[in-house]
Amino acid sequence: MPRGFDRERTNIHKLQYHFIWCPKYRKSVLEGEVRDCLEELIEEKANELGLEILKLAIRPDHVHLFITGDPTLAPNKI
């Protein structure tokens, strides 16, 4: 089995998602306490769903989230 792939009982997979989103009109609102709270919420939800955060970059006007997940979860549920 190639390195980096996850093996389960019936499948082998390496599923990674790159999500990007921004506030309305790309206003710079993701700073200070808002940024810290958002980071905590994302990490908490990732732990709840059993996802691994590979990279999280929160900029003042947008967010990049690169994660690896389970193929049973649809992207809209993540």
Side-chain angles (χ1 to χ4, degrees):
M1 180 172 76
R3 291 188 326 157
F5 286 78
D6 295 322
R7 182 182 187 104
E8 294 182 13
R9 185 172 175 234
T10 59
N11 64 29
I12 298 172
H13 60 86
K14 182 175 186 176
L15 187 60
Q16 298 176 337
Y17 293 105
H18 184 198
F19 293 108
I20 304 168
W21 69 93
C22 60
K24 191 171 185 176
Y25 305 119
R26 285 189 74 126
K27 291 190 177 187
S28 298
V29 295
L30 302 173
E31 299 176 318
E33 291 181 24
V34 175
R35 180 191 187 287
D36 297 338
C37 183
L38 177 61
E39 187 173 0
E40 288 177 20
L41 289 171
I42 290 172
E43 290 174 357
E44 181 180 313
K45 192 63 174 179
N47 288 335
E48 180 182 316
L49 294 174
L51 305 171
E52 179 185 352
I53 298 175
L54 301 174
K55 180 75 174 176
L56 174 62
I58 302 175
R59 304 289 181 233
D61 63 343
H62 67 282
V63 177
H64 284 269
L65 176 62
F66 192 57
I67 58 173
T68 182
D70 187 19
T72 60
L73 285 174
N76 66 327
K77 299 297 181 190
I78 295 174

